């Protein structure tokens, strides 16, 4: 009696037996070969095996094709074939075999395939057919914020309806308003997009429709089936105005001017800021501002000079000068930090002002800097009046001159960066104003600490409680990463006191390690949490 066939030999025999009918169908062998060549053949043709295939459901592209093969007989091997390609083969247990064939890279979404399933024993074989047509990956469109600045993109994500490793590839995002196509954008492989339309001037746009055209793997979206349909609001671009003055102390009749520039405060915008630069003045200590000059601003973030010589020729004393952008239909108004200008009367006694600081460095929101100014007159007398202390050209304190000619003020650290501190004696009718040289003060950013305070997994998503702490107010972007992939993002508002809750995208099941990172801000250094291990299910 011959030894029973080994498992590897049964697989080889099954493949041979299973593929013989295919070879006959293709005309590669005569019909008689299917019986005569079957291993273990005897005097008569064995009855064919009864093979049934049960598919649980039509797979979505990227998922496995799952089905079960059942057959009569024993010690069988099931083989799945597409054309002349063997997709899978395995020995059956109790006449049953369970298959899970990956669709990724083997099939195309939306294409129908006819597969053959062969079952073979040592003496007989049977076959059945299986039809498969992988579904396109379903997804829905999410919008990060439906309120945008003029000329800034409408940011969003194409989010798969279920967990998948398949990425969108080459499809187009489009935004409709009524029948008009507002903007199109070829989607990024991470599913993000940025739709920009310069014709959408500030206003409210109801029933904006953002949809995905689909690609080889992802199906198109439509209203009620994944598209975004809602109201989009476009607001005027926020702007920032900066200004400097040619001299903080001048004699009546001397030339004096300001340099002003305006730009968008939203980094996502592309439109230029134009309009007018406006200059206002008020007596020092007063808020009664009057417009004293105006000039058309050409845009391009260039510094535009605006002369104040004619205005200053008819005035003396110390004035607060304010420079701003007027705003337009597409850009919002803004003002720069106030400047200080002293116009001396003819014949006033000349003075000099010196300045010393108790420290050259500090930290944001840390210890203030003590500034000491000393005012002397050309004739040796001690001037009276006030000294204004300025940081970056903006007045932060005004204190009277002491009998010894000194004036002392504590200067707040302010925002991180290097800034110039100076002192200006404001003068009187008998003593001319004067300014010190500017001294630099470096304000360093402060550290931060990011902690995951809670983590709860549900429906393959993780809800994270996050706390960012620092000695300065914290605000900025917070990201959650799984490895190198960003699975959640949010913006931490200064009013939130460092607390934020984020929910991740759908994650693969199992133990997953998440890391939360805070991007930092102008005043606060970035930080990241310790790795948080979460069981996703």
């Amino acid at each position: 009696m011959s030894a029973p066939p080994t498992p590897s030999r049964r697989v080889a025999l099954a493949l041979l037996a299973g593929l013989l009918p295919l070879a006959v169908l293709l005309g590669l062998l005569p019909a008689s070969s299917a019986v005569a060549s079957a291993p273990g053949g005897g005097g008569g043709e064995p009855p064919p095996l009864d093979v049934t295939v049960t598919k649980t459901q039509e797979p979505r592209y990227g998922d496995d094709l799952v089905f079960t093969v059942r057959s009569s007989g024993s010690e069988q091997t099931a083989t799945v074939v597409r054309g002349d390609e063997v997709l899978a083969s395995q020995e059956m247990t109790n006449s049953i075999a369970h298959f899970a064939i990956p669709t990724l890279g083997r099939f195309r979404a939306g294409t129908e395939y006819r597969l053959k399933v062969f079952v073979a024993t040592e003496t007989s074989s049977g076959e059945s057919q299986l039809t498969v047509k992988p579904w396109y990956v379903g997804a829905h469109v999410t919008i990060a914020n439906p309120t945008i600045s003029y000329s800034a993109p409408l940011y969003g994500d194409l989010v798969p309806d279920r967990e998948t490793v398949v990425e969108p590839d080459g499809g187009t995002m489009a935004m409709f308003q009524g029948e008009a196509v507002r903007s199109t954008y070829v989607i990024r492989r991470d599913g993000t997009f940025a739709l920009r339309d310069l014709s959408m001037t500030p206003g409210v746009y109801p029933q904006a429709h953002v949809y995905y055209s689909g690609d080889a793997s992802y199906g198109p979206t439509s209203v009620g089936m994944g598209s975004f349909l809602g109201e989009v609001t476009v607001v005027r671009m926020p702007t920032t105005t900066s200004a400097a003055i040619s001299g903080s102390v001048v004699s009546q009749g001397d030339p004096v001017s300001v340099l002003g520039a305006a730009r968008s405060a939203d980094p996502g915008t592309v439109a230029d800021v134009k309009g007018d630069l406006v200059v206002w003045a008020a007596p020092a200590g007063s808020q009664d501002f009057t417009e004293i000059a105006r000039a058309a601003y050409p845009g391009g973030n260039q510094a535009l000079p605006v002369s104040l010589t004619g205005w200053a020729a008819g005035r003396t004393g110390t004035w607060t000068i304010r420079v701003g952008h007027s705003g337009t239909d597409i850009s919002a108004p803004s003002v720069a930090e106030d400047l200080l200008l002293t116009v001396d009367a003819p014949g006033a006694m000349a003075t000099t002002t010196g300045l010393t600081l108790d420290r050259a460095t500090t930290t944001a929101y840390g210890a203030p800097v003590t500034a000491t100014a000393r005012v002397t007159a050309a004739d040796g007398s001690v001037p009276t009046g006030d000294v204004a202390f300025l940081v970056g050209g903006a007045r932060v304190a005004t204190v009277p001159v002491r009998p010894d000619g000194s004036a002392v003020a504590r200067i707040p650290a302010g925002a991180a960066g290097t800034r110039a501190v100076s002192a200006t004696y404001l003068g009187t009718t008998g003593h001319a104003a004067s300014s010190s040289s500017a001294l630099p003060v470096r304000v360093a950013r402060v550290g931060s600490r990011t902690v995951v305070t809670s983590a709860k997994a549900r429906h393959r998503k993780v809800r994270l409680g996050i706390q960012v702490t620092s000695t300065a107010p914290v605000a900025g972007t917070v990201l959650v990463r799984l490895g190198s992939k960003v699975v959640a993002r949010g913006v931490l508002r200064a009013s939130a006191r460092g607390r934020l809750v984020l929910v991740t995208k759908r994650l693969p099941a199992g133990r997953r390690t998440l890391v939360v990172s805070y991007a930092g801000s102008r005043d606060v250094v970035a930080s990241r949490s310790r790795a948080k291990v979460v069981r996703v299910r």
Side-chain angles (χ1 to χ4, degrees):
M1 179 179 293
S2 60
T6 63
S8 60
R9 181 168 177 263
R10 283 202 301 271
V11 171
L13 292 173
L15 283 172
L16 176 61
L19 291 177
L20 281 174
L22 178 63
V24 173
L25 290 175
L26 296 176
L28 301 177
L29 291 173
S32 59
S33 299
V35 176
S37 301
E45 180 179 350
L49 298 177
D50 184 18
V51 179
T52 59
V53 179
T54 305
K55 180 174 58 176
T56 56
Q57 63 180 3
E58 204 71 76
R60 186 183 63 167
Y61 182 69
D63 296 343
D64 288 345
L65 168 61
V66 179
F67 59 93
T68 301
V69 179
R70 290 180 173 81
S71 175
S72 57
S74 59
E75 294 191 354
Q76 308 149 71
T77 298
T79 304
V80 184
V81 176
R82 182 183 63 186
D84 58 356
E85 177 188 4
V86 176
L87 299 180
S89 182
Q90 62 175 279
E91 293 188 43
M92 303 179 71
T93 302
N94 297 324
S95 301
I96 298 175
H98 300 286
F99 284 88
I101 300 176
T103 58
L104 187 64
R106 287 186 162 186
F107 302 92
R108 290 178 61 87
T111 301
E112 184 174 279
Y113 298 87
R114 294 185 182 278
L115 310 182
K116 287 194 174 183
V117 180
F118 295 101
V119 176
T121 66
E122 289 285 312
T123 59
S124 62
S125 65
E127 67 177 76
S128 184
Q129 288 192 349
L130 172 64
T131 300
V132 58
K133 184 178 181 180
W135 294 100
Y136 286 97
V137 177
H140 60 276
V141 177
T142 62
I143 300 300
N145 188 344
T147 299
I148 57 175
S149 302
Y150 173 73
S151 80
L154 183 69
Y155 294 104
D157 291 86
L158 182 69
V159 182
D161 292 337
R162 293 189 295 166
E163 176 191 342
T164 180
V165 297
V166 180
E167 297 177 328
D169 184 18
T172 300
M173 297 299 307
M175 177 167 55
F176 272 82
Q177 171 67 28
E179 298 297 325
V181 179
R182 288 290 188 181
S183 178
T184 60
Y185 187 91
V186 178
I187 197 167
R188 302 186 185 106
R189 292 194 66 90
D190 64 358
T192 60
F193 61 86
L195 292 163
R196 191 193 312 272
D197 179 16
L198 298 183
S199 68
M200 293 179 69
T201 54
V204 178
Y205 295 83
Q207 298 296 299
H209 177 202
V210 180
Y211 80 98
Y212 184 53
S213 65
D215 56 45
S217 305
Y218 277 69
T221 64
S222 60
V223 175
M225 295 292 290
S227 290
F228 168 83
L229 183 66
E231 185 176 274
V232 173
T233 302
V234 179
V235 299
R236 292 192 293 175
M237 287 187 298
T239 62
T240 298
T241 302
S242 58
I245 196 163
S246 60
S248 59
V249 179
V250 298
S251 295
Q252 194 175 35
D254 287 349
V256 62
S257 63
V258 293
L259 285 174
R263 60 180 176 83
S264 173
D266 185 338
T269 60
V270 295
D272 203 0
V273 176
K274 297 185 178 181
D276 290 340
L277 279 182
V278 185
V279 184
W280 299 271
S286 167
Q287 292 297 313
D288 187 16
F289 283 92
T290 302
E291 181 179 323
I292 62 173
R294 178 183 290 259
Y297 185 65
N301 195 26
Q302 57 184 301
L304 178 70
V306 181
S307 176
L308 304 183
T309 302
W311 171 84
R315 292 162 178 81
T316 58
T318 302
W319 299 80
T320 300
I321 304 298
R322 180 170 294 173
V323 181
H325 171 250
S326 63
T328 65
D329 290 342
I330 63 172
S331 58
S334 60
V335 295
E337 290 185 334
D338 289 344
L339 305 170
L340 206 61
L341 172 64
T342 299
V343 182
D344 285 333
M349 179 64 66
T351 65
T352 58
T353 301
L355 177 68
T356 58
L357 305 175
D358 71 335
R359 67 182 70 195
T361 61
T362 185
T363 58
Y365 295 89
V369 176
T370 300
T372 302
R374 189 166 297 277
V375 185
T376 58
D379 62 356
S381 62
V382 178
T384 58
D386 294 329
V387 172
F389 291 88
L390 300 94
V391 177
R395 181 165 52 176
V396 296
T398 301
V399 297
V401 178
R402 295 174 176 174
D404 63 354
S406 66
V408 180
R410 291 171 66 83
I411 307 300
T418 299
R419 51 188 41 83
V421 178
S422 61
T424 296
Y425 169 58
L426 301 182
T428 63
T429 55
H431 289 90
S434 60
S435 294
S436 72
S437 298
L439 299 179
V441 172
R442 179 180 175 271
V443 181
R445 293 198 297 170
V446 296
S448 68
R449 181 169 179 259
T450 300
V451 176
V452 178
T453 58
S454 63
K456 184 176 182 180
R458 185 181 182 188
H459 302 315
R460 298 284 186 90
K461 296 181 179 181
V462 180
R463 180 184 175 92
L464 296 167
I466 301 164
Q467 178 73 59
V468 182
T469 56
S470 175
T471 56
V474 289
T477 303
V478 177
L479 301 177
V480 181
R481 288 185 172 89
L482 175 62
S484 61
K485 186 176 182 180
V486 176
V487 295
R489 70 177 69 224
V491 176
L492 181 62
R493 306 294 181 187
S495 59
R497 299 183 179 180
R499 293 188 291 270
L500 184 66
V501 175
L502 292 178
V503 179
T504 68
K505 299 177 181 178
R506 289 178 62 87
L507 305 178
R511 290 170 60 86
R512 302 298 169 197
T513 301
L514 302 176
V515 176
V516 179
S517 60
Y518 166 58
S521 66
R522 180 188 62 181
D523 299 329
V524 183
V525 177
S527 61
R528 58 187 296 177
S529 71
R530 293 182 178 180
K532 183 69 174 181
V533 179
V534 182
R535 183 174 294 279
V536 179
R537 50 189 169 212

